[in-house]
Structures are given as structure tokens and as C-alpha cells.
Amino acid sequence: MGPYLRLLGARVGPDVTIATSLIGLPALLRIDRDAAIGYGAVLRSWQVADGWVTVAPITIGERAFVGAGAVCEPGARLGPGSALGEQSVAGPDEAVPAGARRAGSPARPVTSLSPSVEAMLRTRGRRTTGGRGSWSPPGSHWCCWRPPHSS
């Protein structure tokens, strides 16, 4: 998904895992190094409400996590190492600070997410497979395996 989104104008860092295709206006999307976007997550940088169209960039920081089925609305920003839980909503112009956890709709601060997500966040960016594939904690469903690059 990363190369495809780059062709459409998104800024996608290396070693990013994107397991969704529900992305509107890729040119307004920035996903930094080692971030993970879960299955069915919606990254929508536009919305129509009360007769107004709102368009704003979405930023997912380094090693940040967007859970399966979560929604990021226009202007949402996840800081480095932060996480938005599964089926949670980061509303318009909402910022999740670096290292913070949010869950719910609307998203509220929580101390932690599921054990598998917390394990992933602790190890994201470290090579745990010995190659270039993505590591996935046992029983998790957020990550896709990428084949190693040929030399």
C-alpha cells in the first residue's frame, strides 16, 4: 500500500504497515517511519457537515498505531509512539500526544490498549525477525507480512 499511496501524493515513511484501503485524499496524508495502520481503518481527510466541507491533513507519527476499524477525521494527528484503539475515532483536528493511548468514540485517554498492541508498540522499529519482514505478536491481527527485499 505504501508505494501506491506515494504515487498518489502521500508521504509514507519506510517500514510502514498499512492494512486498509479506506484512505481519502492521499495527498493530505503523512505516515511516518514504523507506523502501523490496522484493517478497515478509515483515514479520511475530508468531511461534509452542516453544509460545510472541511479538508485538513492527517498525520500519523513515527511508531504510531491506528487500530482496526478506527477512524481518523480531517486534521487528526497521532504523535510518535501513540496509539488509537480499535474502532475508535480521532475527531477533526484532534491530537493524540506522543506516547499517549486513546480509545472509544469519541476517543478518550486510556492507560493502555490490548496486550498484543502494547507488545507491538514496545518492539516496533526493532528487527525481531532477523530479516525485513514485520513482526506480529501471537494472535494479533493488525499486521501484514512483507517479503524480504532482494539484494
Side-chain angles (χ1 to χ4, degrees):
M1 224 18 214
Y4 171 73
L5 289 173
R6 286 184 196 103
L7 287 172
L8 296 174
R11 291 176 289 168
V12 179
D15 297 319
V16 168
T17 300
I18 303 170
T20 188
S21 62
L22 303 173
I23 298 171
L25 297 176
L28 294 178
L29 178 63
R30 176 180 170 177
I31 305 173
D32 291 338
R33 167 186 299 276
D34 292 317
I37 313 297
Y39 292 109
V42 178
L43 306 179
R44 186 181 60 226
S45 55
W46 61 272
Q47 87 176 15
V48 178
D50 298 324
W52 291 92
V53 176
T54 303
V55 179
I58 293 173
T59 303
I60 310 298
E62 185 173 327
R63 295 179 334 278
F65 170 78
V66 177
V71 176
C72 291
E73 294 185 336
R77 298 175 309 282
L78 275 71
S82 66
L84 180 64
E86 294 180 349
Q87 299 189 8
S88 298
V89 176
D93 295 318
E94 186 173 338
V96 178
R101 306 291 186 264
R102 298 285 189 270
S105 178
R108 301 283 185 234
V110 294
T111 55
S112 65
L113 297 175
S114 71
S116 61
V117 170
E118 293 299 329
M120 181 272 302
L121 288 167
R122 281 191 302 275
T123 60
R124 194 89 180 140
R126 288 190 272 159
R127 294 285 171 227
T128 57
T129 61
R132 289 192 48 89
S134 294
W135 176 80
S136 180
S140 78
H141 57 276
W142 59 267
C143 191
C144 297
W145 182 80
R146 291 182 299 229
H149 292 276
S150 57
S151 302

